[in-house]
Amino acid sequence: MKQPLLSPNSHGPNRLGLCLALSLGLTLGCRQLPKERGAQVQVISSSGLAELNPNDVVVAPVQNIMAEGDIPADKIRLAFYSALPRRGYVPLALDFVDRAVVDASYSPSMLREDAVLQILIHDWNEALWNVRTVLVVDLEARMLDSSQPGAPVVWSGRLSGRYDFARDERQFASDQALLQHACDQLAMEILSAMPARSTVPGRN
């Protein structure tokens, strides 16, 4: 004879409530990226980028500043590289940049670029990715003026939160392709809050 799923003293309603609470806890705060790009980005600094109006941009290797944990650095970097042209900027080829970065020999303006895009990862958590296609992230992007001593920051923005990509899952044949798509969307979200490059005649 089969045993009941819940014995009389197993406090069924309490367990059910606990399961629901855990489920809600996993999804609480999860959101999809808004149609209005850039709306969820915290702009930290916005002084100087419009005046600089850079054209050629170096996308620096991603900086993982978390205490521990792995990140898909190549996918994140490629995402920002791909998003820059949609804002009017021209990123230098990644392999060209990487040849100059060998042995930390690169310094701003070495490649005669106008600006450098830094990408800092404060948090990247894929614990819910396989179960719910959710990423927990805290990303920061900084644009540096290569022409000035010390390469000062002329724009920076930060995006943090839990983001749900489940609705996009069926569009991709592999998990890696879906993850690249997620990185692409996050990068575009951040850079949409950054001023686009002006193409008015007479500007850089």
Side-chain angles (χ1 to χ4, degrees):
M1 179 177 179
K2 290 184 179 180
Q3 295 296 321
L5 293 177
L6 293 175
S7 61
N9 60 352
S10 64
H11 308 292
N14 290 338
R15 286 194 174 184
L16 179 59
L18 177 61
C19 291
L20 289 173
L22 289 172
S23 177
L24 288 172
L26 287 173
T27 57
L28 184 63
C30 293
R31 50 194 170 185
Q32 295 172 338
L33 293 171
K35 292 182 179 179
E36 182 183 351
R37 293 286 195 178
Q40 296 179 1
V41 178
Q42 176 191 4
V43 176
I44 302 169
S45 174
S46 59
S47 175
L49 179 58
E51 293 75 16
L52 178 63
N53 200 41
N55 184 43
D56 297 334
V57 178
V58 162
V59 181
V62 173
Q63 298 181 39
N64 182 1
I65 60 176
M66 298 189 300
E68 58 182 18
D70 296 326
I71 61 171
D74 290 343
K75 286 182 171 58
I76 296 171
R77 189 184 185 198
L78 179 60
F80 279 89
Y81 174 87
S82 301
L84 277 172
R86 299 175 68 176
R87 304 298 292 158
Y89 301 96
V90 180
L92 300 185
L94 296 178
D95 57 350
F96 174 66
V97 172
D98 289 344
R99 286 196 295 270
V101 176
V102 174
D103 298 326
S105 61
Y106 170 80
S107 60
S109 78
M110 179 179 175
L111 298 178
R112 298 184 179 180
E113 78 282 358
D114 302 312
V116 175
L117 180 67
Q118 284 186 335
I119 306 157
L120 290 77
I121 311 302
H122 298 277
D123 189 21
W124 185 275
N125 190 320
E126 297 183 16
L128 300 177
W129 180 254
N130 290 331
V131 178
R132 297 182 179 273
T133 325
V134 167
L135 291 175
V136 180
V137 304
D138 185 349
L139 314 177
E140 182 180 358
R142 298 175 180 172
M143 193 75 91
L144 312 181
D145 182 353
S146 296
S147 67
Q148 298 297 319
V153 176
V154 291
W155 185 88
S156 63
R158 192 162 173 171
L159 176 70
S160 62
R162 298 185 178 194
Y163 294 97
D164 184 354
F165 296 94
R167 67 177 181 181
D168 303 324
E169 191 169 0
R170 293 184 179 180
Q171 302 176 33
F172 300 93
S174 71
D175 184 69
Q176 291 303 305
L178 178 60
L179 183 58
Q180 181 64 66
H181 167 75
C183 293
D184 292 344
Q185 296 301 303
L186 293 168
M188 196 62 215
E189 177 69 13
I190 294 181
L191 294 190
S192 291
M194 184 177 73
R197 181 176 184 272
S198 173
T199 56
V200 174
R203 298 298 301 274
N204 294 339

